[in-house]
Amino acid sequence: MAMLKKSAIWIAFAVTLVGMPQIFDSILAISILNQMAIAIVFALSYNMLLGQGGMLSFGHAVYFGLGGFLSVHALILIEFETMVFSILWIPLIGGLFGLLAGLFIGSFSTRKAGTVFAMISLGIGELIAASSLIFSSFFGGEAGISGDRTFGPTFFGVDFTQNIDIYYVATFWVFLATLFMYLFTQTPAGRMANAVRDNPERAEFIGYSARKVRFISFCASGLFAGVAGGLFALNYEFITEENLNAATSGRVLLMAYIGGLGYFIGPIIGAVILTLMNSLLSNYSELWMLYLGIMFLLTVMFLPRGFAGFIMMHQVAWVRGTLTLLIKPYIITGVPAILFSLTAILLIEMSHTEDEIFHFLGMALNTSSSVTWVVALILSGGTFFATRKSLGQLNEAWESANAISKDEQT
Amino acid sequence: MTILSLKNVQKNFGETQIIRGVSLDIIEGEKHAIIGPNGAGKSTLFHLISGRYQLTSGNIRFKQDQIENLPPYEIARMGLARSFQVTNIFPRMNVFENVRCALLWSKGYRYSFWHLLGRQRELNDEAMHVLEQIGLKDKALFPSGELGYAQQRALELGIAIASGAQLIMLDEPVAGMSHSEAESSVQLIRKITEGKTLIMVEHDMNIVFDVADRISVLVYGEIIATDKPENIRANPKVQEAYLGEVPSA
Ligand SMILES: Nc1ncnc2c1ncn2[C@@H]1O[C@H](COP(=O)(O)OP(=O)(O)O)[C@@H](O)[C@H]1O
Ligand SMILES: [Mg+2]
């Protein structure tokens, strides 16, 4: 039964992956889907460290980037016919080098978790990023290196010229990588990673070296980050220092965190949300990084278990059939909250813009008129207080939807 | 036959000598209690034997091997399991996972990343069996960090005994439990240590005299007597140093 349910989830996942470009088939959509695919594998690999292994890394882009660089070099070798194989297998090259980097760096960085591990990861990240600018014959300096994925043998007639071809290649690898990362959590090594995360000391008294347990997770995580790097190389056909520096490491941390570290699906959600924000919001606003930062802050403060945690919070109410009690309260709080967000965004954007006329939600607003400002301020103040006032009723509704009656208590 | 042998074990923390030359032979199959006032060094002695602390000097032999200063996981793999005075579980994992993890090494899974735990019938049955013994079967899927105190103590015991180690060391396993909880825990300890060697630190004299084949009395880092319960009870040195303080119940 549980087996059947699990297979159903995996089939649904595969169908979703394959079906997405049927629904979203514009060039922009395919490009976003490709970015999502890469981000999903990357964020899941990050969560093997932080969520499952309790290792806070500030340098995870190293494995992604190194995998990516080696993959672009492999593309170049294929182009010059030094190697002959289908570019379909490029992510394996990325994975192999992510793994090698993990083996090497993990051999000393996994000795301790906590602050020591975090600082080493930061140091290694800086070191590799700096080296990549120094050793420019391999890393290509600031310009990076580029390849061409259209060489090499075709795969059943597919020559990988289109982004959609790459999407299907990515889909194949995303599915495989996700499946293997999930299965890893179900093995002795994966489960002991949780144990070591929770209590490294006790783990040693049941026969496990905490360091070795961390090392195995670390290598596996490097492998899958490298696979993601290989996908990146295939999708963009170039890679630069930016893809292994601290900014990329920070972004994957944000994805995993916002999605929810405690759940396998969390980083997937985070990867989807951040990729969407990155590619859609950045078309509309130069300030999208600011909004991303605000979202991260709000998540840390109010949803410490991320979006996945927020969804899972409703499990009790779902099982008890009291979820419908929450619909109205959510609307009562949600409407002013959304209005407040919009007016807050309006105020921020108006302060930022230099145009006389600012277009917002189909309105043309005069930014030099004080009336616009006063109205926007009043609206945002009003909706803020309305949101705050509505929290009481939401709280009550939440309590009653989740209240455990005496006979259920054990 | 001795299963565990301590020779002149000493431990200093900085300048202070906490264990001042302890020599002790534990006979295979016996139930051995260690008693002594608070701060005598009972827990420290446990930490030295199980590898949590390094010795300042001395030797410890377990079965055929010298184990002093080995890391805890190597000592555990030889068949020495222990519990802690302060509950020491895996709080974010559920109760079942806690016990199953404690079984993994002894069942030979090592660091395997190619076995799926859900498919390991025998392992899972055995974990369930342990849960049944410690009375937490209906809490199997409950997050262990959210268990009540007594249940966490039961789990603490479960993790220690799961692997079926030959030598089991329990540090105040029933401290803080109600009388009836303690009673059933003692029953359980007796049952699961059958045919095994047990070293137990315990304050409750009824339990000690009830369970132990031999008792060692540790006072200020020294063992002042090791003997059968009735001889310990009659020993004037012990009465003076320790038993006198405890209202004999
Ligand atoms: N890590 C440590 N550092 C310094 N002193 C310690 C440490 N652990 C224990 N002690 C000291 O050693 C003495 C014995 O402690 P302990 O072994 O816990 O006693 P018991 O278990 O017999 O009550 C105490 O005085 C305690 O303060
Ligand atoms: Mg103690």
Side-chain angles (χ1 to χ4, degrees), chain A residues 182-193:
Chain A
Y182 175 74
L183 291 178
F184 181 79
T185 66
Q186 306 297 309
T187 64
R191 202 42 59 89
M192 282 310 297

Side-chain angles (χ1 to χ4, degrees), chain A residues 131-143:
Chain A
S131 317
S132 73
L133 292 176
I134 297 165
F135 302 107
S136 56
S137 59
F138 183 83
F139 293 102
E142 286 195 24

Side-chain angles (χ1 to χ4, degrees), chain A residues 63-337:
Chain A
Y63 312 92
F64 176 83
L66 287 179
F69 270 100
L70 265 301
S71 297
V72 173
H73 278 293
L75 282 179
I76 296 170
L77 291 179
I78 291 172
E79 183 176 342
F80 291 100
E81 294 183 349
T82 315
M83 296 196 304
V84 182
F85 62 85
S86 167
I87 60 122
L88 180 63
W89 309 112
I90 287 287
L92 278 186
I93 306 248
L96 179 66
F97 280 89
L99 173 63
L100 287 178
L103 280 165
F104 177 64
I105 295 166
S107 67
F108 55 89
S109 75
T110 52
R111 201 179 302 237
K112 290 252 152 53
T115 319
V116 177
F117 176 86
M119 289 306 119
I120 293 177
S121 75
L122 189 64
I124 300 277
E126 289 302 308
L127 182 88
I128 302 279
S131 317
S132 73
L133 292 176
I134 297 165
F135 302 107
S136 56
S137 59
F138 183 83
F139 293 102
E142 286 195 24
I145 55 171
S146 55
D148 187 331
R149 67 185 181 217
T150 58
F151 291 90
T154 58
F155 186 74
F156 294 108
V158 179
D159 59 3
F160 308 110
T161 48
Q162 307 292 316
N163 272 346
I164 184 78
D165 300 338
I166 293 304
Y167 178 75
Y168 287 116
V169 174
T171 291
F172 169 73
W173 288 108
V174 169
F175 186 81
L176 222 57
T178 306
L179 182 63
F180 277 113
M181 280 188 269
Y182 175 74
L183 291 178
F184 181 79
T185 66
Q186 306 297 309
T187 64
R191 202 42 59 89
M192 282 310 297
N194 299 157
V196 167
R197 169 200 68 196
D198 282 11
N199 190 344
E201 181 187 60
R202 187 63 190 256
E204 301 227 318
F205 289 94
I206 57 174
Y208 283 86
S209 152
R211 178 180 178 180
K212 199 152 177 197
V213 169
R214 280 194 286 262
F215 177 66
I216 291 170
S217 290
F218 190 86
C219 292
S221 166
L223 170 99
F224 288 108
V227 169
L231 290 175
F232 182 94
L234 278 186
N235 187 42
Y236 292 98
E237 301 178 282
F238 74 87
I239 189 157
T240 70
E241 179 266 346
E242 250 181 57
N243 302 112
L244 47 68
N245 70 14
T248 305
S249 295
R251 203 150 45 233
V252 73
L253 193 165
L254 285 190
M255 282 183 196
Y257 198 100
I258 288 177
L261 301 171
Y263 305 89
F264 184 79
I265 200 177
I268 300 182
I269 298 174
V272 169
I273 293 176
L274 256 74
T275 310
L276 279 178
M277 281 186 77
N278 191 346
S279 32
L280 295 181
L281 227 52
S282 59
N283 287 339
Y284 293 107
S285 170
E286 293 168 12
L287 302 177
W288 73 275
M289 287 289 277
L290 174 70
Y291 301 128
L292 181 61
I294 293 173
M295 189 167 98
F296 180 61
L297 272 181
L298 292 177
T299 311
V300 172
M301 286 164 61
F302 299 110
L303 299 176
R305 298 163 79 188
F307 278 72
F310 177 71
I311 296 168
M312 297 308 268
M313 259 165 60
H314 295 81
Q315 220 177 0
V316 175
W318 167 264
V319 171
R320 298 161 48 84
T322 49
L323 211 52
T324 47
L325 292 182
L326 291 171
I327 295 174
K328 206 173 120 202
Y330 267 139
I331 293 174
I332 293 174
T333 301
V335 170

Side-chain angles (χ1 to χ4, degrees), chain A residues 3 50-51 183-192 194-210 212-213 216 261-262 410, chain B residues 50 52 72-73 76-77 82-84 88-93 97 100-102 104-105 109-119 139 156 159-160:
Chain A
M3 192 69 196
L50 183 53
L183 291 178
F184 181 79
T185 66
Q186 306 297 309
T187 64
R191 202 42 59 89
M192 282 310 297
N194 299 157
V196 167
R197 169 200 68 196
D198 282 11
N199 190 344
E201 181 187 60
R202 187 63 190 256
E204 301 227 318
F205 289 94
I206 57 174
Y208 283 86
S209 152
K212 199 152 177 197
V213 169
I216 291 170
L261 301 171
T410 39
Chain B
S50 62
R52 190 192 204 185
Y73 50 88
R77 289 171 196 170
R82 65 162 297 183
S83 74
F84 288 78
N88 205 349
I89 58 178
F90 305 108
R92 287 169 62 191
M93 304 204 302
E97 297 290 4
R100 185 162 67 176
C101 280
L104 285 174
W105 193 276
Y109 288 97
R110 304 170 64 95
Y111 296 99
S112 158
F113 45 83
W114 51 88
H115 289 95
L116 288 175
L117 288 170
R119 300 239 173 113
K139 291 278 186 209
E156 175 72 38
I159 295 172

